Structures are given as C-alpha cells and as structure tokens.
Amino acid sequence: MKPQKGLTVVFQPGGRKAVVNHGVSLLEAARKAGVTITTRCGGKAGCLMCKVTITKDEAAGLRPAGDIERRKLGSALEQGVRLACQAAVWNDVTVQVPEDPLKAAVRRKLEAARRGEDDELW
C-alpha cells in the first residue's frame, strides 16, 4: 500500500492548516502552517515544550506513540497529549496547540478589564 500524500493538519485555536506528506512531524507541519510551537531541543524530545493535544477521535491521524513519547509523557498520552516533534502525521488530523502563557495572561487581563472586573489594567 502506497503512503498517502497531501494530508491536512488543522491547528486550533485559529484553524491554520498545512498540507503535508505522510510521516511528517507535527512540528514540521506547524512550521509550514505558520503556527508557533515552542521547542528548545530542536525536535529531539529533550525539552518537552512542544506538547500538543488531540482528541481520541483524532488519534488515528497520527502514528502511534513510540518508546520515546511513552517514556517522556507516561499517562499524559491517555489524555491525548503528544510531542509535536515526535508525532508523525498518518491521516488528516486536528491538533490543539496550547496558548502561549504570556499571551494567555494578557488575554485574561484584557477580558477582565472589558468586564469591568479590574480597575487597573496592569
């Protein structure tokens, strides 16, 4: 059976998409889509910063976790957590990328200010 080509990876939130070949890592697909996934180890599963989440329904879209991911993530795999540098695209898949902590803090502060819950913005 010949590997599929032209698989679509959708990154949420935001809905950015990349069309990639079978076997490409989620990290590579994210770069192609212009989605930032933080990593310090260069994709060698050393820093564990590139965690993303998939639903159980989407699990077939990725190659099953290998030894490295199982050792590094343990029970988090059961909650759909994967390492973008290790997870390879096998079918169309939608991936949840965690919000950058600084952006999340700014967003929460602005939302609170809009609701009038915070008299002082900063």
Side-chain angles (χ1 to χ4, degrees):
M1 185 171 162
K2 194 173 185 180
Q4 294 180 352
K5 287 192 176 191
L7 301 172
T8 302
V9 182
V10 180
F11 293 93
Q12 298 293 358
R16 290 196 179 194
K17 297 178 183 179
V19 176
V20 299
N21 291 331
H22 182 270
V24 167
S25 75
L26 284 177
L27 189 58
E28 292 174 66
R31 288 178 179 152
K32 185 173 181 181
V35 173
T36 301
I37 296 180
T38 305
T39 180
R40 287 197 179 137
C41 68
K44 294 176 177 51
C47 67
L48 304 181
M49 294 179 74
C50 66
K51 292 177 187 171
V52 296
T53 307
I54 59 165
T55 64
K56 287 182 182 180
D57 295 341
E58 296 287 331
L62 300 176
R63 176 182 64 207
D67 290 341
I68 293 172
E69 271 191 293
R70 285 196 299 275
R71 275 196 318 270
K72 300 276 185 172
L73 295 175
S75 63
L77 279 169
E78 296 168 17
Q79 280 80 49
V81 176
R82 297 293 303 267
L83 295 177
C85 69
Q86 300 297 304
V89 178
W90 273 13
N91 290 299
D92 294 341
V93 66
T94 299
V95 179
Q96 295 293 322
V97 178
E99 189 173 20
D100 175 86
L102 179 59
K103 286 182 182 178
V106 170
R107 180 185 47 76
R108 286 191 300 272
K109 195 75 165 170
L110 290 172
E111 286 172 356
R114 276 189 225 117
R115 291 190 304 266
E117 296 174 4
D118 193 2
D119 293 335
E120 189 177 317
L121 187 57
W122 302 107

